[in-house]
Amino acid sequence: MDTDFDSDAAARAHVAEQAARVGAAVAAGQFRREIAVETKGEQTDVVTQADRDAQSRVIDCIHSAYEANAIVGEEADELKSVPEEGPTWVIDPIDGTSNFVREFQVWCTAVAAVRDGDPVASAIVAPELGDVYVADDETATRNGEPISVSARTDPEGCSVVPTMWWGRDRRDEYAAACREVVERFGDLRRVGSAQVTLAMLAAGTIDGVVTNVYANPWDTVAGVHLIRLAGGTVTDVHGDPWRHDSHGLVASNGEIHDELLAAVGEVEAVARD
């Protein structure tokens, strides 16, 4: 049993991958089968027994190696914010549950190892896509091969994702985000899983991600770590380095970051009106 605070990032990345694989396997076993769906708030904020079962297995896997470490998780009674001190794991058993219940293949299990509030390793497993993303403190990979963000420099050739979820009372900001993307960049994508979106940015599939909404740590930390290790840039809406408690999230290949910040600035202007 390893509870050493100073364990290296490679060991934590290995456990993150194991835990994400286990959770994804549990969820995949219930995908496209009869399953009860509950709502936690708005009609799009859903949860299933698959979420709970997968989270339980993820936690078991982590605690078999790091028994004393805290867990931040979306479901059940786990912590809901990241402690500023000590080793912590941030997990999302099914990121993209709305996709999951609609039988749409874009969803994943995400696990991140955090130390003193900063990620040191992460894994994202998207079983229906056949993709496993892993990052330690040196390299980000997809299916065992190193990945990097895109090298595109012309915004008109870039695809950008307005991510997270703007509530029903913030749809004017959602509309503004979509407008800014389609007017400033080549195309808009929206796939319904924040962590898969961030992983795709790390792999160069898309070029930018933007939101002015506070993003929960289980929706972001694992993917943000991948992007950083893949050479990308992640900030808040003001251009300051992103943290788990930041206002908004702006991520890019670095080349189009200023244009993304200008876009989110316009969204913020709508929010203030």
Side-chain angles (χ1 to χ4, degrees):
M1 183 182 301
D2 183 358
T3 58
D4 182 2
F5 178 84
D6 294 321
S7 294
D8 65 17
R12 290 177 184 267
H14 177 68
V15 172
E17 180 181 355
Q18 285 184 316
R21 284 183 180 273
V22 166
V26 171
Q30 300 184 55
F31 183 57
R32 291 183 174 172
R33 298 189 178 183
E34 291 290 333
I35 189 167
V37 180
E38 305 167 35
T39 57
K40 295 187 286 186
E42 296 186 2
Q43 290 296 313
T44 53
D45 189 8
V46 296
V47 64
T48 71
Q49 190 59 43
D51 296 84
R52 301 185 182 102
D53 292 345
Q55 177 158 300
S56 178
R57 291 295 301 278
V58 168
I59 292 171
D60 287 346
C61 187
I62 292 169
H63 278 167
S64 70
Y66 297 96
E67 183 179 22
N69 287 186
I71 304 285
V72 175
E74 181 173 10
E75 311 304 339
D77 297 324
E78 306 306 326
L79 296 175
K80 302 305 175 188
S81 59
V82 179
E84 292 299 328
E85 296 183 355
T88 306
W89 296 80
V90 182
I91 66 174
D92 195 339
I94 303 178
D95 184 75
T97 304
S98 183
N99 283 349
F100 185 90
V101 302
R102 292 173 179 269
E103 302 187 355
F104 184 45
Q105 300 97 320
V106 183
W107 56 271
C108 70
T109 299
V111 178
V114 174
R115 183 176 296 150
D116 295 341
D118 294 321
V120 297
S122 68
I124 293 174
V125 176
E128 300 301 320
L129 301 179
D131 288 329
V132 176
Y133 299 86
V134 181
D136 51 23
D137 61 347
E138 294 183 352
T139 307
T141 64
R142 180 179 60 191
N143 301 332
E145 297 295 325
I147 56 175
S148 64
V149 296
S150 75
R152 300 180 187 94
T153 60
D154 185 350
E156 292 187 7
C158 291
S159 292
V160 171
V161 179
T163 195
M164 304 306 159
W165 191 247
W166 287 263
R168 298 299 305 179
D169 60 342
R170 301 182 66 178
R171 287 307 172 92
D172 54 346
E173 296 168 58
Y174 186 6
C178 293
R179 182 186 65 247
E180 290 298 317
V181 169
V182 298
E183 289 183 353
R184 292 172 181 271
F185 301 97
D187 207 351
L188 178 150
R189 298 284 187 273
R190 186 170 168 84
V191 298
S193 166
Q195 294 280 26
V196 171
T197 298
L198 295 171
M200 288 179 171
L201 174 56
T205 305
I206 58 175
D207 310 292
V209 174
V210 63
T211 187
N212 69 319
V213 174
Y214 167 76
N216 291 312
W218 48 82
D219 291 327
T220 53
V221 173
V224 165
H225 187 61
L226 276 167
I227 293 168
R228 288 171 174 164
L229 269 291
T233 300
V234 191
T235 71
D236 64 12
V237 297
H238 306 295
D240 296 323
W242 186 88
R243 284 174 37 88
H244 55 81
D245 55 358
S246 285
H247 177 186
L249 186 152
V250 182
S252 76
N253 62 1
E255 301 291 343
I256 62 168
H257 207 79
D258 287 346
E259 192 71 12
L260 276 173
L261 288 172
V264 79
E266 293 300 319
V267 181
E268 281 287 271
V270 171
R272 290 191 295 268
D273 287 345

